[in-house]
Amino acid sequence: MVTLKQFGDTAYPLTKPPVAAPILAATDGTEQSEAALRIARLLADRDHSPVRVLTVVEPVANTAPAFEVAFANTVLDEHVTESVRERACLQVARTVPGTCWDCDVTVGDPAECIAQKAEQLEAGLIVVGLGRHRFIDRLLGGETALRLIRRSRVPVLAVASELETLPQTAVVAIDFGQASIAAARLAVRLVGEGGRVFLVHVIPPNSASNPDRSWTVLHEARVIQRLGRLAKQLRDEGEAGVETRVLRGTPARRIPDFAREMGVDMIAVGPHGHDFFARLVAGDVSGRMMRTSSCSVLAFPRRAVDAEHDAILAAAEARRDARIAADEWPARLAEFDSRNVGRRARLEIDSLEFGAQSELVGYAFYGAAYDPYDAAISVMFGDAAGGDSHLTHSVRDVRAVDILPDPSDPDLDLALRVGHEGGQTLVVFDAQRT
């Protein structure tokens, strides 16, 4: 009989309420930024938060020699900055009259400048505006919003032009990582009393590839239980109504579809991904959502909650012995198993088509083995309570195997990466030494 191990029964850790800190409102002086200013004012009035306005002027790019480019940027800074600041102040006075917000102007890359300013201010939230159509292409040009999310250590609220009031309804994409939990908590705070929040977990279609039907049932039951515990805690902490949903498909498609079906004001995500592996694909689930969604998007960057862990991973990445030669894969995987069997882990599938998505979170790692005949690596997970049900995820067309050791403990590892045709598969262990 299959038994369900109650992983993660303890309450999810509280995060510092982010909106009470200063709010950084970024504007490019155009109409698309006005919704961001309005929402920043509503949040500031409700939460008694100070607001700082930032406008970024991008340097002039041309093919002139380096000294001429530097001169052009200096002239831009001297002769344009004040007029840009005046235009931003006039926009603030027109859009949110009665405020006394300081307006700053800086020259440089918008994503980098906004992220740096937020850190300097110790801001709790960055608010930016989005256009009316493919809004990611309207935000200060190009891929600024996505780069801002990847660079920032501060949550980013990208406001749709049509939004006139604080969001009342939200869909939160939950993968049970720290960033998605923090995004859920912030979403509940933003919608406030009387609001409605949906916690949505999407089970990828390739989860059903396991022939053991009992595993599928076990996994879905566990997801429902974890969502229920999180929803209860959020209801106890805040004043919004919290509901749960489990969907099947790909998160980048199912989450926006569900948001449209429910007519919500905002989608909240906790972007995850593992830059320390020098990701093989560009973009992630949050990026796809920002390109396809028609409502506001709240992103809680992984860097905002994983700074300490990222430092450990960076130290591990610096090791030159992480990459393993193909003829050593069987022996090294056997050693890897002996160090890590029984530890809780995340299985993440990273593909060119769908981006990064968590397939499993918190199950026990049972082992990994290489089959040279099929050029495949099988990664096994199961119930830590010793039940019969288990999952074997097969990775074919393996091109590379990396093991990242834990610099603080030579007897453990941080992660296993299997690079393959079309993407990569990651096994990332929980920080807890269980």
Side-chain angles (χ1 to χ4, degrees):
M1 179 178 180
V2 176
T3 57
L4 179 65
K5 176 66 175 179
Q6 298 293 334
F7 294 110
D9 284 334
T10 56
Y12 293 98
L14 289 170
T15 56
K16 180 181 178 181
V19 185
I23 297 170
L24 177 62
T27 176
D28 61 358
T30 65
E31 182 182 355
Q32 71 181 30
S33 300
E34 293 179 359
L37 295 175
R38 290 194 298 268
I39 296 303
R41 191 216 183 121
L42 292 172
L43 286 171
D45 290 347
R46 189 188 72 179
D47 300 323
H48 308 290
S49 301
V51 176
R52 195 75 165 261
V53 178
L54 176 66
T55 295
V56 181
V57 179
E58 294 189 76
V60 176
N62 53 47
T63 57
F67 73 90
E68 292 186 29
V69 173
F71 175 77
N73 290 338
T74 300
V75 172
L76 175 69
D77 184 48
E78 292 176 351
H79 296 283
V80 178
T81 296
E82 285 308 314
S83 63
V84 171
R85 178 182 289 108
E86 182 179 356
R87 186 167 69 247
C89 291
L90 289 174
Q91 182 187 39
V92 169
R94 182 182 68 255
T95 307
V96 285
T99 57
C100 297
W101 297 346
D102 290 332
C103 297
D104 298 321
V105 178
T106 187
V107 179
D109 174 74
E112 185 69 23
C113 291
I114 294 170
Q116 287 182 356
K117 188 66 174 182
E119 291 184 32
Q120 292 172 3
L121 294 175
E122 297 184 346
L125 187 67
I126 299 171
V127 184
V128 296
L130 301 172
R132 295 182 180 277
H133 302 293
R134 291 178 55 83
F135 55 77
I136 184 60
D137 299 324
R138 306 295 195 268
L139 175 59
L140 302 176
E143 296 286 297
T144 298
L146 297 183
R147 290 190 293 109
L148 173 59
I149 292 170
R150 295 184 181 119
R151 166 63 179 83
S152 178
R153 295 187 183 275
V154 175
V156 178
L157 176 60
V159 181
S161 298
E162 296 80 5
L163 194 63
E164 298 283 346
T165 64
L166 291 179
Q168 298 297 305
T169 54
V171 167
V172 186
I174 297 292
D175 66 1
F176 300 108
Q178 291 186 46
S180 72
I181 303 301
R185 183 164 283 113
L186 180 52
V188 169
R189 181 176 176 83
L190 287 177
V191 302
E193 183 177 1
R196 191 181 185 193
V197 175
F198 297 93
L199 307 181
V200 178
H201 179 84
V202 180
I203 299 177
N206 50 0
S207 293
S209 62
N210 182 57
D212 184 358
R213 176 61 181 168
S214 63
W215 172 270
T216 303
V217 174
L218 174 73
H219 176 51
E220 188 164 347
R222 178 174 174 272
V223 167
I224 292 172
Q225 288 188 338
R226 295 190 75 183
L227 279 176
R229 289 197 297 271
L230 175 60
K232 181 181 183 304
Q233 183 173 349
L234 292 176
R235 283 193 291 266
D236 292 342
E237 294 173 8
E239 299 177 321
V242 182
E243 303 177 33
T244 64
R245 297 287 191 278
V246 176
L247 308 177
R248 290 191 176 275
T250 57
R253 294 175 180 173
R254 293 294 286 124
I255 296 293
D257 287 347
F258 180 76
R260 282 189 286 269
E261 292 170 10
M262 303 307 297
V264 302
D265 303 319
M266 180 176 71
I267 294 175
V269 294
H272 64 271
H274 303 280
D275 294 337
F276 57 92
F277 278 130
R279 298 169 62 83
L280 300 180
V281 296
D284 54 15
V285 170
S286 64
R288 286 174 177 261
M289 279 196 242
M290 293 196 73
R291 292 184 180 98
T292 60
S293 175
S294 59
C295 61
S296 299
V297 176
L298 170 68
F300 202 110
R302 187 178 57 87
R303 295 184 69 193
V305 292
D306 286 352
E308 181 178 354
H309 193 50
D310 282 353
I312 297 175
L313 294 174
E317 183 186 8
R319 293 181 54 128
R320 296 181 178 273
D321 57 354
R323 181 62 57 88
I324 304 171
D327 59 355
E328 299 180 7
W329 289 351
R332 294 291 295 276
L333 286 174
E335 295 172 359
F336 178 82
D337 290 352
S338 66
R339 292 191 297 269
N340 301 293
V341 164
R343 297 178 64 194
R344 296 181 191 175
R346 171 199 295 273
L347 175 66
E348 182 173 301
I349 311 299
D350 207 355
S351 70
L352 291 171
E353 182 179 4
F354 299 125
Q357 54 188 315
S358 295
E359 176 112 351
L360 297 172
V361 178
Y363 284 98
F365 173 71
Y366 273 17
Y370 176 62
D371 180 354
Y373 298 101
D374 293 331
I377 288 180
S378 296
V379 185
M380 292 156 281
F381 296 83
D383 175 12
D388 295 332
S389 185
H390 67 279
L391 168 70
T392 299
H393 179 82
S394 295
V395 183
R396 298 187 180 277
D397 297 318
V398 175
R399 305 295 177 84
V401 176
D402 303 328
I403 293 174
L404 290 187
D406 189 336
S408 64
D409 191 335
D411 296 325
L412 295 176
D413 296 295
L414 292 174
L416 168 71
R417 170 187 174 267
V418 180
H420 49 82
E421 179 70 23
Q424 60 187 354
T425 294
L426 311 174
V427 177
V428 182
F429 293 106
D430 286 2
Q432 296 177 343
R433 304 294 194 258
T434 56

